[in-house]
Amino acid sequence: MSNSLYPVFLKLENLSLLIIGGGKIALEKLESVLGNSPETSIKLVAKEIIPEVRSLQDQFVNITLHERAYNDDDFNDTDLAIIAVNDIVLAEQIRNDAHQKNVLVNIADKPDLCDFYLGSIVKKGSLKIAISTNGKSPTIAKRLRETFTETIPDEMDLVLDNMQSIRNQLKGDFNYKVTELNKITTQYLSDGTISSPKPDLEIEKLINITKIAQRKANIYLAIIGVMLLFGIFGLVVYQFNLSGDIQNFLNQDNHIFYWMLFAGFMAEIVAGSMGMGYGVICTTILLLLNVPPPVVSASIHSAESFTTAAGGFSHYKLGNVNKKMVWVLFPLAIVGSVIGALTLSHYGEHYAHIVKPIIACYTLYLGANILKNAFKDSKKNRIKPKRRTNLRVLGLVGGFIDSFAGGGWGPLVTGTLIKEGRIPRYVVGSSTVAKFLLTITSAITFIFTIGIHHWNIVLGLLLGGVFTAPFSAMLTSKLPTKKMFVVVGVVVIIMSSITIIKSVL
């Protein structure tokens, strides 16, 4: 027999509901109704009412309790009734009385007597899915609810908000809007497994031309901006005769400023092509140059304060930030970053011979992961873990490692969240904002613990990255990504190994 049920979502808060029964089954039905439509007008009638049901009346003023036997008048001004009694004869009598008043009824655990079923419900913000097995197995319906709840990303509500905004902005007739929304939702939900409808070639060509022109314009504007900054800087140096002081500044610590220009350049190229690796590259180079571990992390976080601020702001303006995820991640991430910075500041200088190889081992591990990613089959379906990672614990551990080791937030936190099947754009946006907050905290902590004598390193990293930024998009679009992964992974492994050997010997 086929399932001939027709699913309908009721605006229950505009209707009157009668519940007959005051035991645990009635409590379950009552909690289900209140969990979905908390302002529904509910009248509950029963000879005996358990305390748990009574306690709900204190929380919801729209519940009226009557501790007595039901009568026919209870169906007056009632739109729907839920019957939760153990007596089958009484349940049939109540059903007949309800039908005399044209009231539809649901009788708990008696599907043959029901006019409608109460399905298992999946809720993700504005998304709601009701599951029914045609009364055959409520247990299966519950298991399916658990599966869907775990599988559907928590960011789905943000997707729905964005889709509503896009739908309101679309112009044109109904068919055009449906076509455009189908394209967008396919990109959102298919992960590339479903081919989208073939677009109009002329429109596609115009869009590509516009994107290329805009990208080139942004690059040229960035180059002009960098040139203007250098011009203004040169004018200030000439007017105030600062060349001697600047030369002394640049020559400090065996000309480390120039090495930092190189490190910033390389880190920006790597980060632009792979979406990660800035901290790994900088940490590896600085350790190889025998820079003390506290100064390594302090310099990187000071430089990253500027880059993550720009990235976080961009993601926020583009609507890529899940505020709920940020609020869960960043408080303990900040705690972890402070603990990491204090630990490194206290032990990093005195126990550099121990701390250096520990950090180098970590960068060696990250280098191996980068190399592993180069040969990973991107088309192979990844099995999503059944259980979600605790975001607070992940933030705490990620904050500590990033602050103590000079990097690692991206591979650990962002990578873990994406592997769980969350929507990448919201993961990257939210993770970037959280990273900015912990970077600022870490940088401030280092300033108060070890001072600010490392600004030549910070300036080198910043200028190297700023100078490279206008060209990174142009360069990375031409660089083979897989080969970049291999080269970077091998370089990081070799440099980390050298640092470990030098520390041990």
Side-chain angles (χ1 to χ4, degrees):
M1 179 180 176
S2 63
N3 189 336
S4 59
L5 297 176
Y6 187 78
V8 173
F9 286 91
L10 296 174
K11 294 184 177 179
L12 200 57
E13 293 181 338
N14 297 333
L15 304 174
S16 295
L17 175 67
L18 171 65
I19 297 178
I20 299 178
K24 290 184 178 180
I25 297 176
L27 174 64
E28 181 184 334
K29 304 296 183 183
L30 184 59
E31 288 177 335
S32 176
V33 170
L34 293 173
N36 288 276
S37 304
E39 296 182 11
T40 302
S41 177
I42 302 172
K43 178 181 178 181
L44 188 144
V45 178
K47 290 183 178 180
E48 295 181 7
I49 300 176
I50 61 176
E52 291 89 339
V53 173
R54 292 187 182 278
S55 64
L56 288 175
Q57 189 181 33
D58 299 331
Q59 304 173 40
F60 298 92
V61 296
N62 46 305
I63 300 176
T64 305
L65 303 182
H66 299 272
E67 196 163 13
R68 57 170 174 78
Y70 97 98
N71 57 61
D72 292 350
D73 294 335
D74 289 324
F75 292 107
N76 294 336
D77 302 321
T78 295
D79 298 300
L80 295 171
I82 296 175
I83 316 303
V85 296
N86 292 324
D87 190 339
I88 183 64
V89 176
L90 178 61
E92 290 180 347
Q93 180 186 337
I94 294 173
R95 176 177 180 267
N96 294 332
D97 292 341
H99 285 173
Q100 293 293 323
K101 298 290 183 78
N102 294 319
V103 175
L104 299 177
V105 298
N106 170 272
I107 299 179
D109 205 30
K110 298 294 183 292
D112 292 339
L113 299 179
C114 291
D115 297 316
F116 62 92
Y117 299 141
L118 302 177
S120 290
I121 299 171
V122 178
K123 291 193 297 182
K124 290 282 184 176
S126 297
L127 178 69
K128 187 169 288 188
I129 302 172
I131 304 169
S132 172
T133 58
N134 204 10
K136 291 186 176 181
S137 179
T139 304
I140 291 294
K142 288 180 181 179
R143 295 294 170 266
L144 287 173
R145 180 193 65 195
E146 293 169 359
T147 300
F148 282 123
T149 300
E150 191 173 315
T151 303
I152 298 172
D154 295 333
E155 298 83 10
M156 182 55 68
D157 204 35
L158 288 172
V159 174
L160 295 177
D161 290 340
N162 285 342
M163 289 303 302
Q164 183 182 33
S165 176
I166 292 169
R167 186 183 66 181
N168 293 337
Q169 294 174 23
L170 281 177
K171 306 297 181 183
D173 59 18
F174 178 77
N175 289 331
Y176 171 77
K177 290 182 179 180
V178 170
T179 302
E180 291 301 309
L181 290 173
N182 282 339
K183 291 179 185 177
I184 296 169
T185 50
T186 299
Q187 293 174 359
Y188 263 129
L189 303 177
S190 69
D191 288 330
T193 58
I194 302 174
S195 58
S196 56
K198 187 176 180 181
D200 185 89
L201 294 178
E202 198 62 35
I203 294 176
E204 185 77 11
K205 186 177 179 181
L206 288 172
I207 291 173
N208 289 333
I209 291 173
T210 303
K211 286 182 178 179
I212 293 170
Q214 187 176 14
R215 191 182 301 118
K216 287 184 176 180
N218 290 338
I219 292 172
Y220 294 144
L221 286 173
I223 293 172
I224 292 170
V226 171
M227 292 175 66
L228 283 173
L229 284 175
F230 275 104
I232 294 170
F233 178 73
L235 184 63
V236 170
V237 171
Y238 176 78
Q239 287 291 333
F240 293 94
N241 195 24
L242 300 175
S243 58
D245 295 331
I246 292 174
Q247 191 66 35
N248 291 332
F249 174 79
L250 297 180
N251 292 335
Q252 288 179 1
D253 301 322
N254 296 321
H255 307 282
I256 198 171
F257 171 79
Y258 301 105
W259 283 104
M260 292 307 98
L261 277 177
F262 173 73
F265 172 83
M266 289 300 299
E268 180 63 32
I269 292 294
V270 172
S273 63
M274 303 193 310
M276 56 166 279
Y278 185 92
V280 178
I281 292 294
C282 292
T283 300
T284 309
I285 294 175
L286 286 168
L287 286 177
L288 196 62
L289 293 173
N290 209 30
V291 176
V295 177
V296 171
S297 187
S299 303
I300 293 170
H301 284 93
S302 299
E304 278 190 314
S305 298
F306 298 91
T307 56
T308 54
F313 180 75
S314 299
H315 281 296
Y316 180 79
K317 294 296 289 183
L318 290 170
N320 295 340
V321 178
N322 181 345
K323 295 177 184 177
K324 182 180 177 182
M325 182 184 290
V326 174
W327 277 106
V328 174
L329 271 177
F330 92 87
L332 283 180
I334 287 177
V335 172
S337 70
V338 172
I339 295 172
L342 292 175
T343 304
L344 188 62
S345 300
H346 183 71
Y347 296 106
E349 197 75 48
H350 300 290
Y351 300 97
H353 62 288
I354 298 175
V355 174
K356 268 191 179 182
I358 291 174
I359 297 176
C361 285
Y362 179 65
T363 57
L364 180 68
Y365 164 74
L366 293 179
N369 267 353
I370 292 171
L371 199 59
K372 176 184 172 185
N373 288 334
F375 300 99
K376 184 173 65 175
D377 186 3
S378 59
K379 295 181 180 180
K380 189 177 180 180
N381 292 327
R382 290 176 292 182
I383 300 173
K384 298 175 184 177
K386 293 183 178 180
R387 298 186 66 182
R388 290 288 178 92
T389 304
N390 187 305
L391 290 180
R392 291 180 175 84
V393 174
L394 184 64
L396 178 66
V397 175
F400 176 83
I401 290 176
D402 191 86
S403 192
F404 184 83
W409 175 268
L412 178 63
V413 177
T414 308
T416 298
L417 295 177
I418 289 177
K419 285 177 183 177
E420 288 183 348
R422 298 174 188 265
I423 298 175
R425 61 176 290 199
Y426 293 115
V427 170
V428 174
S430 307
S431 178
T432 301
V433 172
K435 165 73 172 174
F436 163 67
L437 296 171
L438 80 87
T439 298
I440 289 290
T441 305
S442 184
I444 293 173
T445 305
F446 280 119
I447 288 173
F448 279 102
T449 53
I450 68 172
I452 55 173
H453 57 274
H454 55 279
W455 283 113
N456 55 339
I457 299 176
V458 177
L459 186 62
L461 292 174
L462 266 177
L463 290 180
V466 168
F467 181 75
T468 311
F471 307 98
S472 61
M474 189 165 48
L475 287 171
T476 53
S477 64
K478 300 180 183 299
L479 292 172
T481 305
K482 184 173 182 178
K483 291 181 180 179
M484 277 289 295
F485 270 80
V486 173
V487 171
V488 172
V490 170
V491 169
V492 170
I493 290 172
I494 291 173
M495 289 195 294
S496 300
S497 301
I498 293 172
T499 301
I500 294 170
I501 293 170
K502 285 173 64 178
S503 301
V504 173
L505 296 179

